[in-house]
Amino acid sequence: MARWIRHSYGRSFAVLLVFLALPSFGQDLLLPNSPDSLRFAVIGDTGTGGRAQYEIAREMEKWHTTKFPFELVLMLGDNMYGDEDPRDYRRKFEIPYRPLLRAGVKFYASLGNHDDDDQRFYEQFNMQGQRYYTFRPKAGVRFFALDSNYMDAKQLDWIRSELSRSGSEWKICFFHHPLYSSGGRHGSDEELRAVLEPIFEEHGVSVVFSGHEHFYERIKPQNGIYYFISGAGGKLRRGNIRKTEFMGKGFDTDYHFMLLEINGDEMHFQTISRKGKTVDAGVIERPKEARPAAVAAGESLK
Amino acid sequence: MINTKQRKILALLASVAGALPLFATDVQVVKDFTARVDEYVKMQKSLKSKIPPLLEKATPEQIATHQKALAAAVQEARSGAKQGDVFLSADPYFRRIIASELQRAPHNAARETIKEGNPKNEPPTTPVSLAVNAEYPKAAPVSTVPPILLLRLPQLPETVQYRFVGRDLILHDTEADVIVDYLTKVVP
């Protein structure tokens, strides 16, 4: 059974939630899997080199091979806990995700509070040598990676400028610290929210992904923007989610990753646990109003 | 729509420039401090030109080799450096600004932010040694610096950042991964 929920927070959004049907779907793919759409995965707080990270990586590979050939992965920070010598790059990244890397899947990282700035030079993280950067994997979709550890004036100017220059229909931001969180350990980063949210609203950001909290949370749309927390790709803070008025769905009993598909004006998402069970799924409709698009026609595919 | 709490923080950020009494000497203090940081970065760039460059697409080995070589070069070039060489006369200015901003931030939000990733809050296996030229351990997390402070303190060049270690403020060379200078107990 499916249910439509509509929200009106200035911009019109709609999400089709299929959570009532999840038990019967179990391990089925709930995404359209259309060859002309953008298919990607999201993971956060992965870099432990531990068993759970490897199990999630194997599950991702399984879904990639047999059900959903996503082309890229967004990493939401804390890509490497502890030491970061070459052996750590292998153990905490290259070995667990090797099958995906060999299949040509590209990883795009953002920096968490456990990450050294030098990760921005690492070839497999595709950060262009920058703490914050943008890329456009497909016409109409642009991603913006931010460094939420250090949100200085220069970075704020950059994101404001890049968002206003972009004519992409889908503007998606990802960074480590969540602006909204029901986590008992950290909770919402209100300082960061105060500076970023007005920029996101002004420039038509549709979706924001963050990590830091070691669980999954889908936030009810806030001022027209969808926020997701995906921070249990290698660490889990079991039972840490508190009841808040903004929580749409929370999952803190196992590790997880997300699969997503952008197909025209719809973004489909499916969140999958370490055991391969679907814990959340739905469809977000992109707001319909016109966006500022100063250089829409001239945007480069970076 | 912006909620009341956000509105308060935004109003605070908007008013930040004129909120604190700006002493005539502050302008000169900031100018001098910025000049000393620029001098450091100039030296760092010169040292970098003598070691193999780090490209946008580097291997883990290249990253480690570059960082170690740069750290060693910085440590050698600044072997006589001591605490306060960069902050120098800006010490009271930083203390005043930080104390004032933390006090003004609603709901203790800025103080909470400083605790995020702070190595004193999340002790790493290798503790951070508070000393000029000391390497910042890779295993140690880095504190989040509240935007409210970053918008108020003198802007730093890309390769140097403010970070907190406990209540202490450090200037962190993010490419060499060494502590350039530090101020103790700046968080009241």
Side-chain angles (χ1 to χ4, degrees):
Chain A
M1 181 187 283
R3 185 154 72 104
W4 280 95
I5 294 181
R6 289 191 177 275
H7 305 271
S8 54
Y9 293 87
R11 290 192 290 146
S12 165
F13 260 102
V15 60
L16 171 64
L17 298 172
V18 290
F19 58 89
L20 294 176
L22 294 183
S24 58
F25 279 110
Q27 304 192 349
D28 290 346
L29 181 70
L30 302 177
L31 309 173
N33 202 11
S34 165
D36 55 350
S37 59
L38 175 69
R39 291 170 285 192
F40 63 104
V42 171
I43 50 175
D45 302 72
T46 49
T48 61
R51 185 174 157 187
Q53 181 191 5
Y54 278 65
E55 286 173 348
I56 283 288
R58 273 198 293 276
E59 195 62 32
M60 287 172 76
E61 181 206 348
K62 198 166 94 186
W63 283 72
H64 180 266
T65 310
T66 61
K67 297 173 186 173
F68 188 68
F70 52 88
E71 60 195 76
L72 63 95
V73 179
L74 305 182
M75 297 178 75
L76 306 177
D78 286 358
N79 313 312
M80 256 176 280
Y81 290 97
D83 285 324
E84 296 192 16
D85 64 33
R87 277 173 310 177
D88 294 295
Y89 276 84
R90 311 260 181 276
R91 195 169 63 85
K92 298 168 186 174
F93 178 73
E94 291 176 4
I95 296 174
Y97 306 114
R98 183 173 288 157
L100 292 173
L101 290 165
R102 282 188 176 156
V105 175
K106 285 184 88 174
F107 286 70
Y108 293 88
S110 57
L111 296 173
N113 53 292
H114 286 271
D115 297 320
D116 191 282
D117 266 23
D118 281 351
Q119 285 184 21
R120 69 189 190 273
F121 298 109
Y122 176 45
E123 56 190 349
Q124 304 282 16
F125 282 172
N126 294 294
M127 297 178 73
Q128 306 161 21
Q130 305 296 328
R131 293 193 294 119
Y132 42 91
Y133 62 99
T134 177
F135 66 100
R136 186 173 174 241
K138 181 182 171 63
V141 183
R142 183 171 279 280
F143 291 101
F144 302 85
L146 298 176
D147 177 5
S148 57
N149 295 297
Y150 203 79
M151 193 57 63
D152 56 1
K154 199 174 163 194
Q155 186 175 187
L156 287 170
D157 287 345
W158 176 86
I159 185 64
R160 202 178 283 115
S161 157
E162 289 295 328
L163 284 171
S164 74
R165 269 164 30 90
S166 170
S168 291
E169 288 89 357
W170 286 96
K171 296 177 186 178
I172 300 169
C173 293
F174 65 105
F175 49 87
H176 191 59
H177 297 83
L179 304 194
Y180 293 90
S181 161
S182 303
R185 168 75 183 262
H186 298 297
S188 306
D189 193 326
E190 294 180 6
E191 279 252 314
L192 198 61
R193 192 199 300 171
V195 293
L196 284 181
E197 194 173 51
I199 299 174
F200 291 170
E201 284 176 40
E202 186 184 346
H203 297 291
V205 170
S206 306
V207 182
V208 175
F209 295 102
S210 297
H212 198 43
E213 299 279 23
H214 299 161
F215 51 68
Y216 168 77
E217 184 173 4
R218 172 170 48 78
I219 310 292
K220 290 175 188 167
Q222 300 292 313
N223 309 323
I225 301 172
Y226 265 90
Y227 293 89
F228 289 91
I229 296 174
S230 180
K235 280 204 168 191
L236 177 67
R237 199 162 285 130
R238 206 178 288 273
N240 191 244
I241 296 179
R242 304 285 175 265
K243 204 166 190 161
T244 60
E245 57 184 17
F246 53 73
M247 186 176 74
K249 169 79 181 177
F251 176 67
D252 62 2
T253 54
D254 198 4
Y255 301 80
H256 76 273
F257 63 98
M258 291 183 76
L259 295 177
L260 299 105
E261 179 169 353
I262 295 178
N263 195 354
D265 286 341
E266 292 182 340
M267 185 173 96
H268 301 253
F269 63 92
Q270 183 171 0
T271 305
I272 297 156
S273 78
R274 176 169 52 159
K275 291 175 183 152
K277 301 276 185 200
T278 297
V279 296
D280 192 21
V283 188
I284 293 169
E285 278 191 358
R286 194 180 61 77
K288 296 291 192 295
E289 77 268 35
R291 298 290 177 78
V295 290
E299 272 201 316
S300 62
L301 275 163
K302 285 214 287 197
Chain B
M1 299 294 285
I2 300 171
N3 64 33
T4 316
K5 207 181 281 180
Q6 281 177 276
R7 218 182 295 280
K8 280 182 190 167
I9 298 175
L10 274 175
L12 186 68
L13 289 172
S15 67
V16 107
L20 289 169
L22 188 69
F23 301 119
T25 50
D26 283 353
V27 177
Q28 192 57 45
V29 162
V30 169
K31 201 174 156 191
D32 292 346
F33 169 77
T34 306
R36 287 191 294 276
V37 173
D38 288 346
E39 203 169 308
Y40 174 84
V41 172
K42 200 173 148 192
M43 179 211 69
Q44 187 221 48
K45 273 185 186 159
S46 155
L47 296 171
K48 257 165 54 175
S49 69
K50 293 170 191 157
I51 59 175
L54 192 53
L55 304 175
E56 269 183 28
K57 300 263 178 193
T59 63
E61 285 76 13
Q62 288 168 332
I63 292 170
T65 304
H66 177 84
Q67 184 267 320
K68 281 177 187 144
L70 188 57
V74 167
Q75 285 161 341
E76 191 186 338
R78 298 185 77 227
S79 57
K82 55 188 187 307
Q83 192 210 349
D85 279 359
V86 179
F87 280 112
L88 210 67
S89 56
D91 181 327
Y93 171 81
F94 274 88
R95 290 180 193 280
R96 178 160 54 86
I97 299 295
I98 290 169
S100 168
E101 292 305 325
L102 295 185
Q103 200 175 11
R104 280 151 38 85
H107 314 290
N108 242 359
R111 277 179 193 277
E112 290 305 313
T113 302
I114 288 171
K115 288 180 190 167
E116 291 284 321
N118 194 311
K120 285 282 161 75
N121 257 37
E122 299 179 31
T125 45
T126 315
V128 179
S129 164
L130 200 65
V132 171
N133 281 341
E135 278 197 50
Y136 194 96
K138 295 271 186 206
V142 288
S143 72
T144 305
V145 185
I148 201 168
L149 281 183
L150 291 175
L151 295 175
R152 187 72 179 93
L153 296 174
Q155 267 206 59
L156 296 174
E158 195 57 34
T159 54
V160 182
Q161 293 181 347
Y162 300 111
R163 292 291 182 190
F164 288 94
V165 177
R167 294 168 55 204
D168 309 322
L169 179 74
I170 65 167
L171 283 180
H172 180 205
D173 178 334
T174 59
E175 234 178 293
D177 241 345
V178 298
I179 295 174
V180 180
D181 201 359
Y182 63 96
L183 291 174
T184 57
K185 297 185 174 59
V186 292
V187 178

